[in-house]
Amino acid sequence: MNVNSISNSTENRLYTNENLRNKNGDITKVKFDTSNALKIENANVNEENKAPSEILYIPSEDIDYEKCTGKDGKEFTVTSYCKIKGETLNKDYLDVFASKAQGKDVNYYDYYLNNFVAKISQNFSDSSSLKEDEKSIKKGIDDLALEIKKNISKGIPNNIENLNTKFRVNGVDFTLKELVDSSKVMDYACSIVNTSGGMDYYHYAEMGIAKGKVNSYAEKNLNEEQQKLLNSTMSARIQKVTDSVPEISTEIENLKRLNIKIDMVTDKNSKYYAVKSLQRATNKEYAQKIMDTFANVDYSNAKSFNKAIEEYKI
């Protein structure tokens, strides 16, 4: 088992000071590097759903189409526009909206607007709510502009903590701060989930971490409705991943098509790896136990995380 890397993440790494498998091929001990386990990255990805006509002229390398899974378990697609005519769209959204509210000229404002709508839709919408959410989020931005103007007239700072405008997404209301912070948490949690197949036990631990980080944040910072939306969306995404894991026989056939020779030789002495020479989690009950263990961690508390590590042993 290669424990020096985790798919889609450099923030949380599994490591061990001894071989993970003993002479019988069983896991002996697995630990986590906790140095960044509680960290939430600010993943600034600009995306949109509905493009202005000018987008027809954007080079294809500046566009990213991403499939997302909502709380209903169904997929929908959002589109990212990271650069327009050589200009990277990396300005802070609040700065962009505040400048526009004050009547200032903002280059490519329509793209920033649509990118913000898509970023929020990506993390909180589902296939049935998407169209209504797009309209609702844009209305929220219009309402935000009015609040910003009013605050300026009264000499009130337009810090994100001071803004009370509500944004309604998938039937749930958020302030701008709640929406932006929650979106960052969802981005980070999703970034540590392996979606490329080939699931080993540490991938199930990663999925547990993703669920646990979302739940820990939501429980301490959001109301009950908001918590439910974040947790149900993350759970649906994890379920989508686990449901897509192929049978071992199918995976071996896929590897053979890539000229990677793997023999379907069972290992009766191993409780955790049923096929020799293939590092795949074949004990589904244990894999689920690992995921549940890390999903129930309080990620604002290092002791809770360390307790889960102690449980993650054979």
Side-chain angles (χ1 to χ4, degrees):
M1 181 190 302
N2 180 3
V3 294
N4 292 320
S5 64
I6 289 182
S7 300
N8 302 325
S9 174
T10 58
E11 301 301 327
N12 294 289
R13 294 185 180 276
L14 283 166
Y15 75 95
T16 179
N17 293 324
E18 58 193 84
N19 292 330
L20 286 179
R21 302 176 72 183
N22 62 21
K23 62 183 179 180
N24 293 322
D26 292 342
I27 295 176
T28 55
K29 192 175 186 180
V30 179
K31 293 184 178 181
F32 277 86
D33 174 3
T34 63
S35 59
N36 288 301
L38 309 183
K39 184 177 180 182
I40 295 175
E41 286 291 303
N42 179 1
N44 184 15
V45 180
N46 299 297
E47 298 178 290
E48 79 160 347
N49 281 309
K50 191 172 182 181
S53 58
E54 187 180 356
I55 283 177
L56 294 174
Y57 303 99
I58 301 175
S60 60
E61 61 265 27
D62 295 329
I63 304 175
D64 179 42
Y65 302 94
E66 184 171 352
K67 289 185 177 180
C68 311
T69 301
K71 67 176 184 178
D72 60 359
K74 298 179 181 179
E75 286 188 345
F76 59 94
T77 303
V78 297
T79 308
S80 303
Y81 300 90
C82 299
K83 187 181 291 185
I84 308 297
K85 296 181 180 179
E87 181 173 329
T88 302
L89 303 180
N90 58 3
K91 294 179 181 177
D92 181 82
Y93 285 121
L94 181 55
D95 290 342
V96 169
F97 298 150
S99 295
K100 188 68 173 179
Q102 296 174 65
K104 297 179 181 178
D105 185 31
V106 179
N107 286 342
Y108 308 116
Y109 175 78
D110 286 344
Y111 292 91
Y112 278 105
L113 171 63
N114 285 288
N115 283 351
F116 178 78
V117 171
K119 166 50 61 183
I120 301 307
S121 299
Q122 172 191 347
N123 282 324
F124 305 111
S125 297
D126 57 38
S127 61
S128 62
S129 74
L130 181 60
K131 289 185 178 180
E132 188 60 35
D133 289 343
E134 290 173 342
K135 297 176 184 177
S136 179
I137 296 167
K138 287 181 180 179
K139 180 183 182 303
I141 294 171
D142 290 339
D143 293 342
L144 180 67
L146 295 176
E147 183 184 7
I148 289 173
K149 289 179 182 179
K150 186 176 180 180
N151 287 345
I152 291 173
S153 69
K154 293 183 176 182
I156 300 173
N158 279 307
N159 300 327
I160 194 169
E161 293 82 4
N162 296 338
L163 298 171
N164 298 312
T165 296
K166 297 293 185 180
F167 291 79
R168 192 164 186 80
V169 188
N170 215 331
V172 180
D173 289 336
F174 294 83
T175 64
L176 182 62
K177 178 173 172 53
E178 290 169 340
L179 199 60
V180 170
D181 287 351
S182 297
S183 186
K184 290 176 184 177
V185 172
M186 292 294 287
D187 282 340
Y188 183 67
C190 290
S191 76
I192 62 176
V193 175
N194 172 40
T195 57
S196 59
M199 303 290 284
D200 206 342
Y201 292 103
Y202 67 88
H203 291 121
Y204 286 89
E206 290 175 334
M207 290 190 287
I209 290 173
K211 292 177 72 173
K213 285 180 71 68
V214 169
N215 183 64
S216 293
Y217 170 81
E219 192 174 64
K220 288 178 170 55
N221 296 279
L222 303 175
N223 65 37
E224 189 173 336
E225 275 192 320
Q226 294 165 338
Q227 291 176 44
K228 186 176 180 180
L229 177 58
L230 266 68
N231 287 327
S232 60
T233 300
M234 195 68 232
S235 293
R237 292 179 178 181
I238 296 296
Q239 190 64 49
K240 189 85 170 180
V241 173
T242 57
D243 287 347
S244 67
V245 176
E247 295 294 329
I248 291 295
S249 57
T250 301
E251 190 164 357
I252 289 175
E253 288 303 314
N254 291 338
L255 291 172
K256 286 181 178 179
R257 293 190 188 98
L258 298 174
N259 294 320
I260 300 174
K261 187 176 180 181
I262 298 289
D263 294 324
M264 187 68 174
V265 179
T266 59
D267 187 349
K268 296 181 180 180
N269 293 321
S270 175
K271 291 169 57 180
Y272 305 100
Y273 295 98
V275 178
K276 290 183 177 180
S277 304
L278 188 62
Q279 298 283 162
R280 296 294 183 265
T282 53
N283 186 330
K284 298 303 181 184
E285 182 178 348
Y286 182 62
Q288 184 66 48
K289 177 184 176 183
I290 291 172
M291 184 163 66
D292 291 345
T293 295
F294 286 97
N296 291 321
V297 166
D298 176 1
Y299 284 92
S300 65
N301 185 331
K303 289 183 179 179
S304 178
F305 189 83
N306 291 332
K307 182 180 178 182
I309 294 170
E310 291 303 312
E311 293 180 21
Y312 188 18
K313 296 178 181 179
I314 300 302

